[in-house]
C-alpha cells in the first residue's frame, strides 16, 4: 500500500497552516504522514495543530521555502511526496485515493494532475504529455505534482533558484533525465494563487533566474524556435485570458478540449 508524505512548510502561517492540515486529515485514504516543516513560527499556529499521530512537526531554521522543502524531503518516510503549501489543500476528500489508484503497481517517478485556481474560480487545463516544448510553454501546478521519494532524496531542489526551483526540478527530470511524467485525470489541488513567484518585488530576480534556467536546459536555437512559436500563438493574449475572472472559464474549456482532441489523435496513430 502506497504511503504518501504530505510536506507543508511554514513560518507564521496562521490559519492557512491549520486549514491545510485539516483538509489533509480529511482524506479518505489514510496511509499518509503530514510533515510540517516550521522555520520557527511565533504566531501560535504550531501549538494549535490537532493531535494526530500522522502529523510530525520539524522545527529548524531554513534559508527559504525550497530549503524548507529539502529539509522536509530528508524527514519524509513515504513512497511519494506531495508539497501542499499553507492556504492550499486537496480539492476533495478522495484525492489521495484517486492518486493511489492512478499509480497502482507502476510506481513511475513523477505524476501530475489538475488544479482548481481560486483566483479565477476555474480548473486549470494542462497538457496530458510533458515534452521539452510543453515544459517550455507551461508550468504545471507544484501542489498537483507527485514525486517518487527516491527521486528527490537523490537530487533535492536547487537552492540557487530562490523562486523557480520547482520549475528547475521539472526541467531537470524531463529534459536531462528523460523522465516521462504520467498524467492523472483528476483535480488534485485547490490552489489559492499568488505566492512569492507572483510578487512584483521579485520580478527582476525571476527574469534573471528564468534566463539562466533556459540557458541550462535549452540551446539558443531551440529557445528562438519556441519563442517564435509562442509569439505566433498569441502568448500574451492567452496569458491575459487565463488570468481573467470573466474569460478564464471559456479559455480553459477551449484549452482542455484541444488537449483532449490531441490525445485522441495520438491514440489513433498509436494503433
Amino acid at each position: 500500500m502506497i504511503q504518501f508524505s504530505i510536506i507543508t512548510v511554514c513560518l507564521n502561517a496562521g490559519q492557512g497552516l491549520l486549514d491545510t492540515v485539516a483538509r489533509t486529515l480529511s482524506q479518505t485514504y489514510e496511509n499518509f504522514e503530514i510533515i510540517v516543516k516550521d522555520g520557527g513560527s511565533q504566531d501560535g499556529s504550531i501549538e494549535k495543530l490537532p493531535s494526530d499521530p500522522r502529523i510530525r512537526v520539524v522545527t529548524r531554521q531554513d534559508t527559504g521555502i525550497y530549503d524548507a522543502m529539502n529539509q522536509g524531503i530528508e524527514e519524509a518516510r513515504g513512497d511519494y511526496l506531495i508539497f501542499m503549501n499553507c492556504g492550499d489543500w486537496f480539492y476533495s476528500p478522495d484525492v489521495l485515493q484517486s492518486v493511489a489508484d492512478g499509480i497502482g503497481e507502476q510506481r513511475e517517478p513523477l505524476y501530475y494532475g489538475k488544479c482548481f485556481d481560486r483566483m479565477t474560480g476555474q480548473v486549470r487545463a494542462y497538457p496530458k504529455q510533458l515534452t521539452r516544448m510543453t515544459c517550455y510553454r507551461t508550468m504545471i501546478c507544484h501542489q498537483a505534482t507527485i514525486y517518487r521519494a527516491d527521486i528527490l532524496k537523490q537530487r533535492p531542489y536547487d537552492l540557487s533558484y530562490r523562486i523557480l526551483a520547482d520549475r528547475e526540478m521539472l526541467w531537470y527530470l524531463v529534459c536531462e533525465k528523460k523522465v516521462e511524467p504520467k498524467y492523472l485525470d483528476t483535480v488534485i489541488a485547490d490552489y489559492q494563487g499568488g505566492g512569492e513567484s507572483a510578487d512584483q518585488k521579485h520580478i527582476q530576480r525571476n527574469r534573471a533566474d528564468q534566463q539562466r534556467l533556459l540557458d541550462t536546459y535549452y540551446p539558443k536555437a531551440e529557445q528562438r524556435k519556441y519563442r517564435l512559436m509562442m509569439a505566433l500563438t498569441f502568448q500574451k493574449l492567452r496569458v491575459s485570458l487565463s488570468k481573467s475572472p470573466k474569460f478564464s472559464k471559456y479559455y480553459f474549456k477551449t484549452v482542455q478540449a484541444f488537449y483532449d482532441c490531441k490525445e485522441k489523435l495520438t491514440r489513433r496513430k498509436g494503433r
Side-chain angles (χ1 to χ4, degrees):
M1 188 177 186
I2 295 171
Q3 183 184 28
F4 294 98
S5 292
I6 315 304
I7 300 174
T8 297
V9 303
C10 64
L11 178 62
N12 298 320
Q15 190 61 41
L17 169 64
L18 303 180
D19 290 344
T20 298
V21 169
R23 296 292 188 101
T24 302
L25 290 173
S26 72
Q27 289 294 297
T28 58
Y29 186 94
E30 297 184 347
N31 194 19
F32 65 84
E33 63 172 0
I34 301 173
I35 298 175
V36 176
K37 169 55 196 63
D38 175 46
S41 295
Q42 300 296 318
D43 64 348
S45 56
I46 297 299
E47 291 75 15
K48 293 178 182 177
L49 287 169
S51 178
D52 191 292
R54 292 171 294 181
I55 300 174
R56 284 197 289 135
V57 177
V58 179
T59 300
R60 193 190 316 165
Q61 286 191 335
D62 54 67
T63 60
I65 186 170
Y66 293 110
D67 186 31
M69 288 179 179
N70 281 348
Q71 291 179 19
I73 292 167
E74 292 175 4
E75 297 287 339
R77 301 168 182 165
D79 304 300
Y80 281 88
L81 313 182
I82 302 174
F83 298 90
M84 196 59 66
N85 292 344
C86 295
D88 302 325
W89 43 72
F90 290 108
Y91 185 71
S92 64
D94 60 351
V95 166
L96 282 184
Q97 183 64 64
S98 296
V99 171
D101 292 342
I103 293 173
E105 299 298 322
Q106 300 303 312
R107 305 293 177 101
E108 298 289 348
L110 179 60
Y111 294 85
Y112 69 103
K114 294 178 281 191
C115 78
F116 175 80
D117 184 346
R118 248 175 279 155
M119 292 184 71
T120 61
Q122 303 301 322
V123 173
R124 285 185 165 267
Y126 293 115
K128 298 185 179 182
Q129 182 179 16
L130 289 181
T131 63
R132 291 179 66 87
M133 171 56 188
T134 52
C135 281
Y136 179 95
R137 184 185 65 205
T138 306
M139 181 59 196
I140 59 178
C141 179
H142 192 226
Q143 291 83 338
T145 306
I146 304 98
Y147 296 94
R148 201 172 67 205
D150 63 297
I151 298 296
L152 295 188
K153 286 183 179 290
Q154 292 170 8
R155 200 272 193 180
Y157 290 104
D158 185 340
L159 300 186
S160 71
Y161 292 94
R162 181 174 175 82
I163 300 171
L164 301 176
D166 55 330
R167 178 170 292 192
E168 191 280 333
M169 176 62 72
L170 179 66
W171 287 13
Y172 166 76
L173 292 174
V174 173
C175 299
E176 183 168 323
K177 304 305 290 184
K178 310 303 180 186
V179 168
E180 296 183 7
K182 302 302 179 183
Y183 176 75
L184 300 175
D185 191 15
T186 187
V187 184
I188 294 174
D190 188 316
Y191 169 63
Q192 67 178 336
E196 192 173 18
S197 62
D199 195 321
Q200 288 297 308
K201 70 181 180 182
H202 298 302
I203 191 167
Q204 291 301 119
R205 172 66 182 268
N206 203 359
R207 285 175 178 170
D209 280 355
Q210 176 70 23
Q211 191 56 55
R212 178 162 63 97
L213 190 54
L214 282 166
D215 292 339
T216 299
Y217 292 106
Y218 292 87
K220 291 293 186 181
E222 193 173 11
Q223 291 183 41
R224 289 193 292 269
K225 179 179 75 173
Y226 291 155
R227 277 199 299 268
L228 177 60
M229 292 173 65
M230 298 285 275
L232 292 174
T233 55
F234 306 105
Q235 177 192 16
K236 290 184 178 180
L237 175 61
R238 288 187 288 105
V239 170
S240 178
L241 290 173
S242 72
K243 294 180 179 180
S244 167
K246 184 176 180 180
F247 297 109
S248 59
K249 174 181 179 180
Y250 307 103
Y251 173 77
F252 284 120
K253 280 188 175 181
T254 302
V255 173
Q256 189 64 61
F258 171 78
Y259 289 147
D260 291 343
C261 182
K262 186 176 180 181
E263 183 185 31
K264 288 179 182 178
L265 291 173
T266 301
R267 287 179 177 178
R268 287 179 183 176
K269 289 180 180 179
R271 289 177 180 174

